[in-house]
Structures are given as structure tokens and as C-alpha cells.
Amino acid sequence: MIKILNFFLIIISSILIAGIYGILHDQITYTISPEYYTLFKFEQFGINQWGVSNERIKAGIVGFLATWWVGYYLGIIYAFVSLFFKSKEILKITIKSIFFNLLTALVFGFLGFLWSFFFLDDKIDWYIPANTRHVQDFINVGSIHNFGYIGGVVGLFIGIYCLVKNAKSVSISKN
């Protein structure tokens, strides 16, 4: 019964962690390029029709909507892997692994900023609204977002490795 409870707690925790990450992440990237949101993301997510006037709140909504589903899928994977271990601390170990996953996404996002800063310019073949005034900032944020998703996938492998390693070491030390 505890494994089933942990299974669902891991998924819910992963969704919440990813959603909070998205909110904070998009507050930072909104600071870099408000136009990325006002000219692109708010329209893409239909946020302008929600009746919310504060752009920071809109950016937070976009951040949550853009990341909760990643947490859902990652959470399912982590929850299934956790079923293979008998440790009473598996929930704690798994949540810690999810944070390693998040940290990896954060590092990749920073690498995305560096990549765009040094290698991307306004000649890139991306959708950039015609009335964008600060094109390089827009590109920087797009690159941060793209690299962040890649980091989420890479982080899954790091997180699963940490989960397996820590769950095994707890099991071994208890015997």
C-alpha cells in the first residue's frame, strides 16, 4: 500500500516542482526579454484572453503551463523506477533525484544563454515577431527555453542514476 501512495506522491511532487520551476524560470527570462512573452508566449498560450493585466503574473502562468506536464511525465518515470526498491526512504530519495533533474535543466538553460550570446544572431531561422525591438534578447530567451527542455531530458538520466544509486546504498546499509 505504501508503494502505491509513494507512486502518486512522486507524480504530484514532480508536477508541483516542475510548475514552480517554470514560474520562477519565466520570471527570470521575462526580465531578459519581456517581448518574448508579450509578442509570443502570451498569444501562444492564450493568456491575453484570461483577463489578467499584470504581465509578471501572466509570465508565471505561462511558466507553470509550460512545465507542469514535463513534471508529470518525469514523475511517472521516477514513480515506476521507485517501485523496484523496498527502502522506506524511497520517496525522499526520489524527490532528491527530481531536484538533481531540475538542477540539470537549470544548468542547461544557462548554457543555452551562453550559446545564444556567442553563436546566435538575428539571422537565425526562428519565428520572431516583426515588431520585436530587442531581437537578440528574444533569441537569448528562446535558446534558454530550448536548452532547458534538453536539460530536463538529460537530467532525467542523471536523476534516475542518483535514485538507483542512493536507493541501493540505503538498502545495502540497512542489511
Side-chain angles (χ1 to χ4, degrees):
M1 182 65 174
I2 202 82
K3 280 190 173 198
I4 293 171
L5 178 62
N6 281 343
F7 186 89
F8 289 107
L9 286 174
I10 289 166
I11 295 171
I12 292 167
S13 297
S14 185
I15 290 169
L16 291 174
I17 291 167
I20 292 167
Y21 170 83
I23 292 167
L24 297 173
H25 179 276
D26 281 15
Q27 292 304 309
I28 293 166
T29 55
Y30 178 88
T31 301
I32 296 169
S33 176
E35 290 178 310
Y36 186 81
Y37 293 88
T38 59
L39 301 177
F40 178 49
K41 286 297 180 178
F42 293 166
E43 287 299 319
Q44 182 184 39
F45 281 84
I47 302 299
N48 289 329
Q49 288 73 38
W50 288 29
V52 177
S53 60
N54 185 301
E55 290 185 354
R56 287 286 183 173
I57 292 173
K58 288 181 185 181
I61 293 168
V62 167
F64 185 85
L65 293 176
T67 56
W68 76 267
W69 63 272
V70 177
Y72 173 72
Y73 288 111
L74 295 177
I76 289 173
I77 295 168
Y78 281 109
F80 273 112
V81 172
S82 75
L83 291 174
F84 291 97
F85 299 98
K86 294 181 181 180
S87 171
K88 292 180 182 177
E89 300 167 23
I90 196 64
L91 180 62
K92 179 181 169 185
I93 291 168
T94 305
I95 299 297
K96 185 177 177 182
S97 298
I98 291 170
F99 276 105
F100 278 114
N101 199 149
L102 181 132
L103 180 62
T104 305
L106 186 65
V107 167
F108 268 72
F110 182 72
L111 293 173
F113 174 76
L114 293 176
W115 179 262
S116 69
F117 187 78
F118 290 110
F119 300 108
L120 301 180
D121 59 26
D122 60 355
K123 292 165 188 60
I124 191 167
D125 188 25
W126 286 0
Y127 168 73
I128 299 173
N131 54 344
T132 304
R133 291 184 11 215
H134 301 98
V135 174
Q136 188 60 49
D137 294 339
F138 189 99
I139 292 168
N140 291 348
V141 170
S143 184
I144 292 167
H145 283 218
N146 292 342
F147 272 67
Y149 283 112
I150 294 167
V153 173
V154 172
L156 174 63
F157 293 102
I158 294 169
I160 295 295
Y161 171 79
C162 292
L163 180 122
V164 171
K165 180 182 171 196
N166 290 327
K168 282 183 178 179
S169 69
V170 167
S171 297
I172 291 169
S173 67
K174 299 253 181 190
N175 291 331

